[in-house]
Amino acid sequence: MLQAVLNGSRPADAHPALPVLARHLARDARAVARLGISSVHVHPRGPNAEETLDPVHVGDAVALIRAEAPGMEIGVTTGRWIQPDPVKRIEAVLAWGRLGVGKPDVCSVNVHEKGWVDVCKAAASVGIGVELGVWTSGDAVTLRQHGVPPSTVRVLAESTVSDPETAVAEAVRILRALGSLPVPVLLHGEEDGAWPVLEYAMRMGLDTRIGFEDVLVRPDGWLATGNDDLVDAARKIYV
């Protein structure tokens, strides 16, 4: 599977085509759906363009994406940097369960963040799947010691090393620490490490992802014109 990650935590001025408003996320979701993408991950924003877990804005973004890209798996974040209080993160996730067509299909939960187990339980209780974020080999050990929560649909193994010369080595360390899991692993990198890790994931037959959250440039170093441009470039890589 190739997932499209449309905006992430990037500021609105990071790229002229970065989708921030809900309607722009829906536009990009429609564009990547035409290229065969069946899963998107987005960071909904509030009126000030700041990331938010507010059910009103999450529901608006998800509903618009669903209208423009029917059948698309839609994932959102529960990042601690947006809401540091784990109790309030749990409350937000529980509220998402009442959003109807605006309810996300999955949400990402980072293993290194306080309260991650309870956030996973909250998501499961309202029928939202979980993508478990594993950023380091230490996170991988934590996950193996705890066990994969039943609501988990995949593990997101992220090499946060942006140096293209060492990003893949870090990815390999994380994968080795994870060992064998009962769910798929989606491996990805970021910035200058994004394309080398994506190519490695493809060689290994692992799920991966691409989009403005992870990188703004194509493999040739040119600034991408949009998320669909990045997806198109990824789909043309043969390994």
mmCIF file of all heavy atoms in Angstrom, residues 136-184:
data_model
loop_
_atom_site.group_PDB
_atom_site.id
_atom_site.type_symbol
_atom_site.label_atom_id
_atom_site.label_comp_id
_atom_site.label_asym_id
_atom_site.label_seq_id
_atom_site.Cartn_x
_atom_site.Cartn_y
_atom_site.Cartn_z
ATOM 1 N N THR A 136 11.473 5.253 17.130
ATOM 2 C CA THR A 136 12.824 4.818 17.500
ATOM 3 C C THR A 136 12.804 3.327 17.815
ATOM 4 O O THR A 136 11.735 2.729 18.014
ATOM 5 C CB THR A 136 13.337 5.568 18.744
ATOM 6 O OG1 THR A 136 12.522 5.197 19.874
ATOM 7 C CG2 THR A 136 13.286 7.083 18.560
ATOM 8 N N SER A 137 13.999 2.748 17.899
ATOM 9 C CA SER A 137 14.068 1.344 18.304
ATOM 10 C C SER A 137 13.593 1.180 19.745
ATOM 11 O O SER A 137 13.054 0.126 20.105
ATOM 12 C CB SER A 137 15.497 0.812 18.134
ATOM 13 O OG SER A 137 16.424 1.634 18.820
ATOM 14 N N GLY A 138 13.764 2.222 20.566
ATOM 15 C CA GLY A 138 13.244 2.190 21.937
ATOM 16 C C GLY A 138 11.731 2.105 21.954
ATOM 17 O O GLY A 138 11.142 1.373 22.765
ATOM 18 N N ASP A 139 11.084 2.864 21.072
ATOM 19 C CA ASP A 139 9.624 2.767 20.935
ATOM 20 C C ASP A 139 9.222 1.355 20.538
ATOM 21 O O ASP A 139 8.203 0.819 21.005
ATOM 22 C CB ASP A 139 9.112 3.734 19.862
ATOM 23 C CG ASP A 139 9.249 5.189 20.258
ATOM 24 O OD1 ASP A 139 9.524 5.468 21.437
ATOM 25 O OD2 ASP A 139 9.089 6.051 19.367
ATOM 26 N N ALA A 140 10.009 0.767 19.643
ATOM 27 C CA ALA A 140 9.700 -0.591 19.178
ATOM 28 C C ALA A 140 9.755 -1.582 20.327
ATOM 29 O O ALA A 140 8.898 -2.467 20.443
ATOM 30 C CB ALA A 140 10.674 -0.992 18.071
ATOM 31 N N VAL A 141 10.748 -1.430 21.187
ATOM 32 C CA VAL A 141 10.861 -2.312 22.356
ATOM 33 C C VAL A 141 9.663 -2.114 23.280
ATOM 34 O O VAL A 141 9.082 -3.088 23.784
ATOM 35 C CB VAL A 141 12.184 -2.044 23.099
ATOM 36 C CG1 VAL A 141 12.214 -2.800 24.426
ATOM 37 C CG2 VAL A 141 13.377 -2.435 22.236
ATOM 38 N N THR A 142 9.268 -0.862 23.487
ATOM 39 C CA THR A 142 8.098 -0.579 24.324
ATOM 40 C C THR A 142 6.858 -1.279 23.773
ATOM 41 O O THR A 142 6.077 -1.882 24.522
ATOM 42 C CB THR A 142 7.840 0.943 24.382
ATOM 43 O OG1 THR A 142 8.956 1.584 25.001
ATOM 44 C CG2 THR A 142 6.568 1.257 25.164
ATOM 45 N N LEU A 143 6.675 -1.198 22.465
ATOM 46 C CA LEU A 143 5.513 -1.823 21.844
ATOM 47 C C LEU A 143 5.548 -3.333 21.999
ATOM 48 O O LEU A 143 4.532 -3.969 22.327
ATOM 49 C CB LEU A 143 5.440 -1.440 20.363
ATOM 50 C CG LEU A 143 4.298 -2.066 19.559
ATOM 51 C CD1 LEU A 143 2.947 -1.712 20.167
ATOM 52 C CD2 LEU A 143 4.367 -1.622 18.104
ATOM 53 N N ARG A 144 6.703 -3.923 21.794
ATOM 54 C CA ARG A 144 6.805 -5.378 21.915
ATOM 55 C C ARG A 144 6.540 -5.827 23.352
ATOM 56 O O ARG A 144 5.932 -6.881 23.585
ATOM 57 C CB ARG A 144 8.180 -5.857 21.463
ATOM 58 C CG ARG A 144 8.392 -5.741 19.961
ATOM 59 C CD ARG A 144 9.681 -6.390 19.526
ATOM 60 N NE ARG A 144 9.677 -7.825 19.779
ATOM 61 C CZ ARG A 144 10.704 -8.625 19.537
ATOM 62 N NH1 ARG A 144 11.831 -8.129 19.054
ATOM 63 N NH2 ARG A 144 10.629 -9.918 19.760
ATOM 64 N N GLN A 145 6.998 -5.020 24.324
ATOM 65 C CA GLN A 145 6.786 -5.382 25.723
ATOM 66 C C GLN A 145 5.314 -5.277 26.111
ATOM 67 O O GLN A 145 4.799 -6.082 26.881
ATOM 68 C CB GLN A 145 7.632 -4.480 26.625
ATOM 69 C CG GLN A 145 9.127 -4.760 26.531
ATOM 70 C CD GLN A 145 9.961 -3.782 27.335
ATOM 71 O OE1 GLN A 145 9.506 -2.673 27.679
ATOM 72 N NE2 GLN A 145 11.191 -4.164 27.634
ATOM 73 N N HIS A 146 4.642 -4.265 25.540
ATOM 74 C CA HIS A 146 3.230 -4.066 25.880
ATOM 75 C C HIS A 146 2.323 -4.974 25.067
ATOM 76 O O HIS A 146 1.311 -5.482 25.563
ATOM 77 C CB HIS A 146 2.825 -2.605 25.650
ATOM 78 C CG HIS A 146 1.390 -2.333 25.980
ATOM 79 N ND1 HIS A 146 0.371 -2.534 25.070
ATOM 80 C CD2 HIS A 146 0.800 -1.904 27.129
ATOM 81 C CE1 HIS A 146 -0.786 -2.234 25.642
ATOM 82 N NE2 HIS A 146 -0.545 -1.852 26.880
ATOM 83 N N GLY A 147 2.675 -5.163 23.819
ATOM 84 C CA GLY A 147 1.807 -5.899 22.897
ATOM 85 C C GLY A 147 1.008 -4.939 22.033
ATOM 86 O O GLY A 147 0.750 -3.802 22.429
ATOM 87 N N VAL A 148 0.644 -5.392 20.859
ATOM 88 C CA VAL A 148 -0.088 -4.553 19.918
ATOM 89 C C VAL A 148 -1.562 -4.496 20.326
ATOM 90 O O VAL A 148 -2.219 -5.540 20.416
ATOM 91 C CB VAL A 148 0.040 -5.102 18.483
ATOM 92 C CG1 VAL A 148 -0.798 -4.280 17.511
ATOM 93 C CG2 VAL A 148 1.499 -5.111 18.054
ATOM 94 N N PRO A 149 -2.102 -3.294 20.578
ATOM 95 C CA PRO A 149 -3.519 -3.175 20.945
ATOM 96 C C PRO A 149 -4.424 -3.778 19.876
ATOM 97 O O PRO A 149 -4.115 -3.723 18.673
ATOM 98 C CB PRO A 149 -3.727 -1.662 21.059
ATOM 99 C CG PRO A 149 -2.370 -1.116 21.370
ATOM 100 C CD PRO A 149 -1.414 -1.984 20.615
ATOM 101 N N PRO A 150 -5.551 -4.356 20.263
ATOM 102 C CA PRO A 150 -6.431 -5.046 19.316
ATOM 103 C C PRO A 150 -6.978 -4.157 18.201
ATOM 104 O O PRO A 150 -7.342 -4.646 17.136
ATOM 105 C CB PRO A 150 -7.574 -5.564 20.199
ATOM 106 C CG PRO A 150 -7.124 -5.441 21.597
ATOM 107 C CD PRO A 150 -6.021 -4.457 21.643
ATOM 108 N N SER A 151 -7.052 -2.854 18.444
ATOM 109 C CA SER A 151 -7.627 -1.947 17.446
ATOM 110 C C SER A 151 -6.624 -1.510 16.382
ATOM 111 O O SER A 151 -6.966 -0.759 15.467
ATOM 112 C CB SER A 151 -8.175 -0.703 18.143
ATOM 113 O OG SER A 151 -7.156 -0.073 18.908
ATOM 114 N N THR A 152 -5.394 -1.988 16.480
ATOM 115 C CA THR A 152 -4.327 -1.545 15.574
ATOM 116 C C THR A 152 -4.520 -2.102 14.165
ATOM 117 O O THR A 152 -4.680 -3.311 13.983
ATOM 118 C CB THR A 152 -2.955 -1.980 16.115
ATOM 119 O OG1 THR A 152 -2.793 -1.483 17.440
ATOM 120 C CG2 THR A 152 -1.832 -1.452 15.231
ATOM 121 N N VAL A 153 -4.474 -1.215 13.170
ATOM 122 C CA VAL A 153 -4.568 -1.657 11.769
ATOM 123 C C VAL A 153 -3.189 -1.745 11.129
ATOM 124 O O VAL A 153 -2.992 -2.504 10.176
ATOM 125 C CB VAL A 153 -5.482 -0.738 10.942
ATOM 126 C CG1 VAL A 153 -6.899 -0.772 11.470
ATOM 127 C CG2 VAL A 153 -4.971 0.697 10.920
ATOM 128 N N ARG A 154 -2.243 -0.949 11.631
ATOM 129 C CA ARG A 154 -0.867 -1.013 11.125
ATOM 130 C C ARG A 154 0.058 -0.296 12.095
ATOM 131 O O ARG A 154 -0.384 0.504 12.915
ATOM 132 C CB ARG A 154 -0.761 -0.402 9.729
ATOM 133 C CG ARG A 154 -1.023 1.085 9.645
ATOM 134 C CD ARG A 154 -0.986 1.597 8.200
ATOM 135 N NE ARG A 154 -2.021 0.978 7.374
ATOM 136 C CZ ARG A 154 -3.231 1.517 7.191
ATOM 137 N NH1 ARG A 154 -3.578 2.665 7.763
ATOM 138 N NH2 ARG A 154 -4.123 0.907 6.437
ATOM 139 N N VAL A 155 1.339 -0.580 11.977
ATOM 140 C CA VAL A 155 2.372 0.132 12.731
ATOM 141 C C VAL A 155 3.108 1.046 11.774
ATOM 142 O O VAL A 155 3.548 0.614 10.698
ATOM 143 C CB VAL A 155 3.351 -0.848 13.404
ATOM 144 C CG1 VAL A 155 4.567 -0.107 13.957
ATOM 145 C CG2 VAL A 155 2.651 -1.615 14.521
ATOM 146 N N LEU A 156 3.225 2.308 12.136
ATOM 147 C CA LEU A 156 3.958 3.284 11.337
ATOM 148 C C LEU A 156 5.382 3.354 11.870
ATOM 149 O O LEU A 156 5.632 3.912 12.936
ATOM 150 C CB LEU A 156 3.303 4.666 11.437
ATOM 151 C CG LEU A 156 1.822 4.769 11.068
ATOM 152 C CD1 LEU A 156 1.330 6.200 11.277
ATOM 153 C CD2 LEU A 156 1.597 4.346 9.635
ATOM 154 N N ALA A 157 6.303 2.775 11.146
ATOM 155 C CA ALA A 157 7.716 2.825 11.536
ATOM 156 C C ALA A 157 8.349 4.004 10.811
ATOM 157 O O ALA A 157 8.446 4.001 9.582
ATOM 158 C CB ALA A 157 8.418 1.523 11.173
ATOM 159 N N GLU A 158 8.752 4.999 11.571
ATOM 160 C CA GLU A 158 9.263 6.230 10.964
ATOM 161 C C GLU A 158 10.734 6.444 11.284
ATOM 162 O O GLU A 158 11.125 6.535 12.451
ATOM 163 C CB GLU A 158 8.471 7.444 11.458
ATOM 164 C CG GLU A 158 9.005 8.759 10.918
ATOM 165 C CD GLU A 158 8.135 9.948 11.273
ATOM 166 O OE1 GLU A 158 7.047 9.740 11.810
ATOM 167 O OE2 GLU A 158 8.575 11.083 11.022
ATOM 168 N N SER A 159 11.541 6.522 10.244
ATOM 169 C CA SER A 159 12.935 6.915 10.414
ATOM 170 C C SER A 159 12.980 8.442 10.446
ATOM 171 O O SER A 159 12.750 9.096 9.437
ATOM 172 C CB SER A 159 13.790 6.380 9.263
ATOM 173 O OG SER A 159 15.103 6.901 9.343
ATOM 174 N N THR A 160 13.249 8.997 11.612
ATOM 175 C CA THR A 160 13.253 10.454 11.751
ATOM 176 C C THR A 160 14.604 11.065 11.405
ATOM 177 O O THR A 160 14.796 12.269 11.550
ATOM 178 C CB THR A 160 12.865 10.858 13.184
ATOM 179 O OG1 THR A 160 13.783 10.265 14.103
ATOM 180 C CG2 THR A 160 11.450 10.402 13.516
ATOM 181 N N VAL A 161 15.526 10.236 10.947
ATOM 182 C CA VAL A 161 16.843 10.728 10.523
ATOM 183 C C VAL A 161 16.704 11.285 9.108
ATOM 184 O O VAL A 161 16.360 10.557 8.177
ATOM 185 C CB VAL A 161 17.884 9.594 10.547
ATOM 186 C CG1 VAL A 161 19.221 10.092 10.008
ATOM 187 C CG2 VAL A 161 18.045 9.051 11.961
ATOM 188 N N SER A 162 16.966 12.568 8.945
ATOM 189 C CA SER A 162 16.775 13.190 7.633
ATOM 190 C C SER A 162 17.988 13.057 6.716
ATOM 191 O O SER A 162 17.886 13.332 5.518
ATOM 192 C CB SER A 162 16.416 14.674 7.801
ATOM 193 O OG SER A 162 17.433 15.363 8.498
ATOM 194 N N ASP A 163 19.122 12.638 7.255
ATOM 195 C CA ASP A 163 20.318 12.437 6.442
ATOM 196 C C ASP A 163 20.101 11.250 5.506
ATOM 197 O O ASP A 163 19.889 10.122 5.976
ATOM 198 C CB ASP A 163 21.521 12.181 7.353
ATOM 199 C CG ASP A 163 22.803 11.900 6.579
ATOM 200 O OD1 ASP A 163 22.785 12.015 5.328
ATOM 201 O OD2 ASP A 163 23.819 11.556 7.211
ATOM 202 N N PRO A 164 20.132 11.468 4.198
ATOM 203 C CA PRO A 164 19.848 10.367 3.271
ATOM 204 C C PRO A 164 20.843 9.224 3.356
ATOM 205 O O PRO A 164 20.527 8.096 2.961
ATOM 206 C CB PRO A 164 19.892 11.038 1.894
ATOM 207 C CG PRO A 164 20.719 12.271 2.084
ATOM 208 C CD PRO A 164 20.433 12.726 3.478
ATOM 209 N N GLU A 165 22.032 9.499 3.880
ATOM 210 C CA GLU A 165 23.061 8.460 3.974
ATOM 211 C C GLU A 165 22.804 7.496 5.126
ATOM 212 O O GLU A 165 23.307 6.367 5.123
ATOM 213 C CB GLU A 165 24.445 9.103 4.135
ATOM 214 C CG GLU A 165 24.847 10.022 2.994
ATOM 215 C CD GLU A 165 24.906 9.292 1.663
ATOM 216 O OE1 GLU A 165 25.343 8.120 1.649
ATOM 217 O OE2 GLU A 165 24.490 9.890 0.647
ATOM 218 N N THR A 166 22.053 7.927 6.129
ATOM 219 C CA THR A 166 21.848 7.082 7.314
ATOM 220 C C THR A 166 20.374 6.794 7.616
ATOM 221 O O THR A 166 20.076 6.018 8.521
ATOM 222 C CB THR A 166 22.475 7.748 8.560
ATOM 223 O OG1 THR A 166 21.940 9.073 8.710
ATOM 224 C CG2 THR A 166 23.983 7.853 8.419
ATOM 225 N N ALA A 167 19.452 7.400 6.860
ATOM 226 C CA ALA A 167 18.023 7.226 7.134
ATOM 227 C C ALA A 167 17.591 5.771 7.010
ATOM 228 O O ALA A 167 16.799 5.269 7.818
ATOM 229 C CB ALA A 167 17.193 8.106 6.192
ATOM 230 N N VAL A 168 18.115 5.079 5.988
ATOM 231 C CA VAL A 168 17.727 3.684 5.795
ATOM 232 C C VAL A 168 18.282 2.810 6.920
ATOM 233 O O VAL A 168 17.600 1.899 7.403
ATOM 234 C CB VAL A 168 18.196 3.173 4.424
ATOM 235 C CG1 VAL A 168 17.972 1.668 4.309
ATOM 236 C CG2 VAL A 168 17.454 3.903 3.313
ATOM 237 N N ALA A 169 19.504 3.086 7.353
ATOM 238 C CA ALA A 169 20.091 2.313 8.452
ATOM 239 C C ALA A 169 19.250 2.446 9.716
ATOM 240 O O ALA A 169 19.039 1.465 10.448
ATOM 241 C CB ALA A 169 21.522 2.775 8.711
ATOM 242 N N GLU A 170 18.759 3.652 9.978
ATOM 243 C CA GLU A 170 17.892 3.848 11.136
ATOM 244 C C GLU A 170 16.585 3.092 10.963
ATOM 245 O O GLU A 170 16.067 2.492 11.912
ATOM 246 C CB GLU A 170 17.611 5.347 11.325
ATOM 247 C CG GLU A 170 16.645 5.680 12.449
ATOM 248 C CD GLU A 170 17.140 5.292 13.828
ATOM 249 O OE1 GLU A 170 18.343 4.966 13.980
ATOM 250 O OE2 GLU A 170 16.321 5.303 14.769
ATOM 251 N N ALA A 171 16.053 3.098 9.751
ATOM 252 C CA ALA A 171 14.821 2.348 9.479
ATOM 253 C C ALA A 171 15.019 0.860 9.753
ATOM 254 O O ALA A 171 14.155 0.202 10.339
ATOM 255 C CB ALA A 171 14.384 2.573 8.033
ATOM 256 N N VAL A 172 16.163 0.334 9.333
ATOM 257 C CA VAL A 172 16.457 -1.079 9.546
ATOM 258 C C VAL A 172 16.537 -1.387 11.040
ATOM 259 O O VAL A 172 16.042 -2.427 11.502
ATOM 260 C CB VAL A 172 17.757 -1.480 8.834
ATOM 261 C CG1 VAL A 172 18.190 -2.891 9.240
ATOM 262 C CG2 VAL A 172 17.581 -1.391 7.324
ATOM 263 N N ARG A 173 17.152 -0.492 11.812
ATOM 264 C CA ARG A 173 17.246 -0.700 13.265
ATOM 265 C C ARG A 173 15.850 -0.793 13.885
ATOM 266 O O ARG A 173 15.601 -1.636 14.758
ATOM 267 C CB ARG A 173 18.049 0.426 13.912
ATOM 268 C CG ARG A 173 19.554 0.254 13.797
ATOM 269 C CD ARG A 173 20.294 1.236 14.693
ATOM 270 N NE ARG A 173 20.221 2.587 14.158
ATOM 271 C CZ ARG A 173 21.116 3.107 13.323
ATOM 272 N NH1 ARG A 173 22.135 2.365 12.906
ATOM 273 N NH2 ARG A 173 21.004 4.353 12.897
ATOM 274 N N ILE A 174 14.951 0.084 13.454
ATOM 275 C CA ILE A 174 13.591 0.077 14.005
ATOM 276 C C ILE A 174 12.871 -1.217 13.626
ATOM 277 O O ILE A 174 12.210 -1.849 14.466
ATOM 278 C CB ILE A 174 12.804 1.301 13.513
ATOM 279 C CG1 ILE A 174 13.429 2.586 14.065
ATOM 280 C CG2 ILE A 174 11.333 1.212 13.939
ATOM 281 C CD1 ILE A 174 12.849 3.863 13.471
ATOM 282 N N LEU A 175 13.010 -1.629 12.375
ATOM 283 C CA LEU A 175 12.344 -2.849 11.924
ATOM 284 C C LEU A 175 12.853 -4.073 12.689
ATOM 285 O O LEU A 175 12.070 -4.956 13.070
ATOM 286 C CB LEU A 175 12.561 -3.042 10.428
ATOM 287 C CG LEU A 175 11.860 -2.045 9.499
ATOM 288 C CD1 LEU A 175 12.302 -2.278 8.056
ATOM 289 C CD2 LEU A 175 10.348 -2.146 9.613
ATOM 290 N N ARG A 176 14.162 -4.130 12.912
ATOM 291 C CA ARG A 176 14.721 -5.262 13.662
ATOM 292 C C ARG A 176 14.207 -5.277 15.092
ATOM 293 O O ARG A 176 13.917 -6.342 15.654
ATOM 294 C CB ARG A 176 16.242 -5.187 13.643
ATOM 295 C CG ARG A 176 16.852 -5.571 12.298
ATOM 296 C CD ARG A 176 18.359 -5.384 12.296
ATOM 297 N NE ARG A 176 18.953 -5.826 11.027
ATOM 298 C CZ ARG A 176 20.191 -5.582 10.666
ATOM 299 N NH1 ARG A 176 21.005 -4.894 11.483
ATOM 300 N NH2 ARG A 176 20.651 -6.003 9.509
ATOM 301 N N ALA A 177 14.079 -4.094 15.694
ATOM 302 C CA ALA A 177 13.576 -4.022 17.066
ATOM 303 C C ALA A 177 12.103 -4.400 17.143
ATOM 304 O O ALA A 177 11.646 -4.960 18.145
ATOM 305 C CB ALA A 177 13.790 -2.607 17.620
ATOM 306 N N LEU A 178 11.354 -4.109 16.080
ATOM 307 C CA LEU A 178 9.934 -4.480 16.062
ATOM 308 C C LEU A 178 9.745 -5.985 15.950
ATOM 309 O O LEU A 178 8.822 -6.556 16.535
ATOM 310 C CB LEU A 178 9.229 -3.800 14.884
ATOM 311 C CG LEU A 178 8.866 -2.333 15.038
ATOM 312 C CD1 LEU A 178 8.383 -1.759 13.720
ATOM 313 C CD2 LEU A 178 7.808 -2.140 16.118
ATOM 314 N N GLY A 179 10.614 -6.634 15.187
ATOM 315 C CA GLY A 179 10.473 -8.061 14.986
ATOM 316 C C GLY A 179 9.204 -8.391 14.216
ATOM 317 O O GLY A 179 8.696 -7.591 13.434
ATOM 318 N N SER A 180 8.683 -9.584 14.455
ATOM 319 C CA SER A 180 7.468 -10.037 13.775
ATOM 320 C C SER A 180 6.234 -9.483 14.484
ATOM 321 O O SER A 180 6.118 -9.573 15.711
ATOM 322 C CB SER A 180 7.425 -11.561 13.755
ATOM 323 O OG SER A 180 6.244 -12.013 13.124
ATOM 324 N N LEU A 181 5.321 -8.905 13.710
ATOM 325 C CA LEU A 181 4.116 -8.300 14.272
ATOM 326 C C LEU A 181 2.872 -8.910 13.633
ATOM 327 O O LEU A 181 2.921 -9.375 12.493
ATOM 328 C CB LEU A 181 4.116 -6.787 14.032
ATOM 329 C CG LEU A 181 5.204 -5.970 14.720
ATOM 330 C CD1 LEU A 181 5.145 -4.518 14.249
ATOM 331 C CD2 LEU A 181 5.050 -6.029 16.236
ATOM 332 N N PRO A 182 1.741 -8.860 14.343
ATOM 333 C CA PRO A 182 0.503 -9.422 13.789
ATOM 334 C C PRO A 182 -0.231 -8.476 12.845
ATOM 335 O O PRO A 182 -1.302 -8.808 12.346
ATOM 336 C CB PRO A 182 -0.339 -9.687 15.048
ATOM 337 C CG PRO A 182 0.107 -8.635 16.013
ATOM 338 C CD PRO A 182 1.581 -8.451 15.753
ATOM 339 N N VAL A 183 0.340 -7.287 12.610
ATOM 340 C CA VAL A 183 -0.281 -6.296 11.729
ATOM 341 C C VAL A 183 0.767 -5.796 10.737
ATOM 342 O O VAL A 183 1.966 -5.932 10.964
ATOM 343 C CB VAL A 183 -0.851 -5.098 12.526
ATOM 344 C CG1 VAL A 183 -1.979 -5.545 13.440
ATOM 345 C CG2 VAL A 183 0.252 -4.404 13.322
ATOM 346 N N PRO A 184 0.338 -5.209 9.613
ATOM 347 C CA PRO A 184 1.310 -4.693 8.639
ATOM 348 C C PRO A 184 2.139 -3.547 9.217
ATOM 349 O O PRO A 184 1.691 -2.807 10.100
ATOM 350 C CB PRO A 184 0.416 -4.190 7.491
ATOM 351 C CG PRO A 184 -0.890 -4.876 7.667
ATOM 352 C CD PRO A 184 -1.055 -5.073 9.137
#
